[in-house]
Amino acid sequence: MKHTFTVKGMHCKGCAMLVQDALEQAGAKNIAIKVDEKAQVGTVSCEGNDRASLKASIEAEGYVVQ
Amino acid sequence: MNTTLYVTDAECESCEKVLGRAFERIGAKARFDGIKVELTHEPSITIEQLFDVVRSRGYSATLTPPVPKRWHDHIGDLEKLLVRNVIVTLAALAILQGFVIGPLKGGAWLQQYGLWLGLVDIVAVSCVAALWHLRSYRGTVTCMTGMMLGMILGMQSGLLFGYIIGATNGFFLGALIASAIGIFFGYAAGNCCGTMGSVQGMMAGFMGGTMGPMIAVMLAASGFGLFTPWFFLVNIALLWTFSVLLMQHMGDKPHERIRLDFTTFAAYCIILAAAATLVIIFGPRGPGVI
């Protein structure tokens, strides 16, 4: 099942890697991340079963998921 | 065993987290101090392995600290484009003024006002160019830099426009218009670091805008003489230090630069120069057009 998240506080490639690693550990696949550096917002899409656990894995890195 | 690396493109805490975890995976402990990374690891881990970790996460590292760049090392395509825009816009403004205003009143009054109209073009283009340069950077600046940027552009734009309008139309109109211009530029430039920079920029703008016409009015009594070229030379040079400061403080930021379009730049220059020209001509002491 495909999920899309808008993640506040992402501003560089380091943030993208942190979120990517967190989602991979939570079992997500086909992860795509776009970061708007100026707005400091990331658009994250991935495939996985449990949306709540994917969201929690991003939030555990200190970001706010809308 | 300790090894020190310099990760030149690590920008923030997220980068430190990513690299710190990657080092941990091979058994190295990292301590970050800006781009300097002090690693504690077993002697069995080679320097090449440490470099591999950095590269695997998309960063680059060196064993020696990078040589600090001077401001002119940051001159890039955008700065060259800016200089080209300035030259083209100045030429366009001179031609426009020549065709539109030159024939008014037979052009004789240009002997008296030509110098001020020419200076208006140079000052308008210089102020807009400084702001254009700032807007082409997307990164944030420290409070101190932002306050300085706001102060330079606010003060210099106010002083320069104030001197011209004060010299041609007296203190009241000069101070009124130039302080508004100074406040606008001071706000726009200082805003790059938030409220503190905006306030500082606006205060400097008001100060410059009132000091410029004051100097001009006081000088008018004794004659402008060689002071006018000296005043403009020094203050336009100071205005361009805005760009030097910008490159020194933001040139190293790896944030993406924005290529602003020429049309907007030229439009702002023409609007500003045209407005100041109208004030000079139609002000209470201006020549008028009849």
Side-chain angles (χ1 to χ4, degrees), chain B residues 197-214:
Chain B
S198 305
V199 172
Q200 177 87 355
M202 288 192 289
M203 288 194 306
F206 186 81
M207 239 158 73
T210 48
M211 271 159 52
M214 206 185 297

Side-chain angles (χ1 to χ4, degrees), chain B residues 110-133:
Chain B
L110 271 178
Q111 284 182 349
Q112 193 185 347
Y113 286 90
L115 169 73
W116 302 116
L117 294 179
L119 286 171
V120 154
D121 295 347
I122 296 170
V123 171
V125 173
S126 297
C127 290
V128 176
L131 202 57
W132 188 93
H133 197 192

Side-chain angles (χ1 to χ4, degrees), chain B residues 143-159:
Chain B
C143 216
M144 187 59 85
T145 308
M147 283 165 70
M148 199 62 210
L149 290 173
M151 206 162 77
I152 294 176
L153 194 51
M155 175 73 83
Q156 297 314 111
S157 59
L159 264 178

Side-chain angles (χ1 to χ4, degrees), chain A residues 53-64:
Chain A
S53 73
L54 296 176
K55 182 174 177 262
S57 70
I58 300 172
E59 285 171 339
E61 292 295 345
Y63 299 103
V64 177

Side-chain angles (χ1 to χ4, degrees), chain B residues 3 10 26 30 49 65 96 114 116 141 143 162 181 194 212 227 238 277:
Chain B
T3 305
I26 63 157
Q49 277 177 288
L96 266 174
W116 302 116
V141 293
C143 216
I181 292 173
F227 186 78
L238 282 171
T277 302

